[in-house]
Amino acid sequence: MEAITYEKLEASAKHISPHILETWQPPQAVKMLLEHEPKADKGFVLFAGIEKEYGKPSDEMQFVGEHKAFNLSWLRKHYNKVGNYLHYSHRSKSNNQESIDSIKKYLHGVCDEVEEVLKGDILGGWLDQVFEHTCEKCQQIIVVGKHTLAKTSHIICQNPNCKAEYFAQPEDEGRKVRFTLKVTRFDCAKCKAEIPIENRRLDIGLEFQCPACATKHRIENRQWIYSAEIETNKS
Ligand SMILES: [Zn+2]
Ligand SMILES: [Zn+2]
């Protein structure tokens, strides 16, 4: 289960944070893939052909291969259960022949599913349109799937030591995405130079220094400015 899932992840390694490849277990890894693409835990059959006219499916499609995948709910159910059998437990001492037979039967069922998934000839793979942005804070690549962007414009750097926050805005009819680091700009109290501070750091008591003249500042309070709503449909 691990080998198959990681093969799937590695096929998309450049779209995935290295932290995930190093530390995640299959159910979490597949869950993460599902955030990119809702069909990431489903198999697919791939056909390809040359388009005679751009954008119109070819009338001579050739079979390329088939990918079979573990379903997330199946992985969740069996990954830990199989893992538990690898460890010695007090309970295993008292196992009678009947329960050993039922474990054998269970494990054969799991093996059948693993064999079925291995029958696919495209081993790693999932399909999604992704956008990349180099994080301005940690210089790692942030990868966001089109599917995620349809749900939210709030994107967090996938590096767990960074987690910088961005506002992501599709542009050019969805062909590009503009990532804007969520910052608030303050003017230096002495030299008026602009000092950008990440919104997630903003709090009363935060101290920051002007990069131009080194004057130290401290946030003393916060203020929301509001006004009466303009009534537009007055009769
Ligand atoms: Zn980052
Ligand atoms: Zn200054």
Side-chain angles (χ1 to χ4, degrees):
M1 288 180 222
E2 286 183 352
I4 292 169
T5 305
Y6 285 106
E7 204 151 36
K8 194 177 173 89
L9 283 178
E10 284 198 348
S12 344
K14 70 182 175 96
H15 299 321
I16 291 167
S17 152
H19 303 276
I20 292 168
L21 287 175
E22 280 160 24
T23 57
W24 288 37
Q25 293 183 333
Q28 290 102 308
V30 173
K31 188 168 175 276
M32 188 278 312
L33 283 181
L34 284 170
E35 282 171 20
H36 278 311
E37 147 57 18
K39 289 181 185 155
D41 69 339
K42 307 277 185 294
F44 57 81
V45 180
L46 191 65
F47 291 87
I50 297 167
E51 291 174 355
K52 282 196 185 114
E53 202 181 321
Y54 178 75
K56 290 213 171 134
S58 165
D59 26 305
E60 282 171 41
M61 293 293 247
Q62 304 280 333
F63 174 73
V64 177
E66 184 173 12
H67 172 67
K68 289 177 178 260
F70 289 126
N71 173 272
L72 178 62
S73 59
W74 188 91
L75 260 185
R76 274 204 177 124
K77 191 169 165 197
H78 300 291
Y79 178 72
N80 289 327
K81 194 169 173 185
V82 169
N84 285 338
Y85 289 131
L86 299 174
H87 302 290
Y88 176 84
S89 83
H90 203 64
R91 193 167 42 87
S92 43
K93 235 180 164 181
S94 60
N95 274 342
N96 55 29
Q97 192 55 40
E98 196 195 346
S99 67
I100 288 171
D101 285 346
S102 73
I103 292 170
K104 268 189 190 166
K105 196 175 163 212
Y106 165 73
L107 289 175
H108 275 297
V110 171
C111 286
D112 287 348
E113 177 64 21
V114 174
E115 275 174 13
E116 186 57 34
V117 168
L118 281 172
K119 280 181 192 163
D121 42 14
I122 298 175
L123 290 180
W126 49 289
L127 304 168
D128 185 26
Q129 187 181 355
V130 292
F131 299 95
E132 294 183 353
H133 178 71
T134 305
C135 178
E136 288 145 53
K137 288 284 153 187
C138 71
Q139 312 308 318
Q140 283 205 20
I141 304 283
I142 300 170
V143 183
V144 186
K146 199 178 176 184
H147 169 69
T148 306
L149 289 167
K151 290 187 295 183
T152 182
S153 57
H154 181 74
I155 301 299
I156 299 170
C157 173
Q158 288 127 348
N159 174 358
N161 300 320
C162 174
K163 293 186 177 169
E165 295 173 354
Y166 289 85
F167 176 70
Q169 199 174 22
E171 282 184 335
D172 199 8
E173 290 172 352
R175 282 189 279 267
K176 283 195 294 186
V177 175
R178 179 204 292 261
F179 291 83
T180 312
L181 188 64
K182 291 192 177 183
V183 293
T184 299
R185 295 171 202 286
F186 296 91
D187 289 340
C188 171
K190 198 172 174 186
C191 76
K192 302 289 171 222
E194 197 177 69
I195 312 169
I197 307 284
E198 280 184 83
N199 290 1
R200 60 187 175 135
R201 293 181 56 218
L202 290 178
D203 205 355
I204 292 167
L206 177 79
E207 292 179 348
F208 59 92
Q209 199 170 13
C210 170
C213 73
T215 298
K216 285 183 180 156
H217 301 75
R218 185 175 189 276
I219 296 181
E220 300 296 352
N221 63 32
R222 61 191 291 172
Q223 209 176 359
W224 295 98
I225 297 172
Y226 65 98
S227 61
E229 200 177 334
I230 300 162
E231 283 175 52
T232 49
N233 51 356
K234 241 182 185 174
S235 56

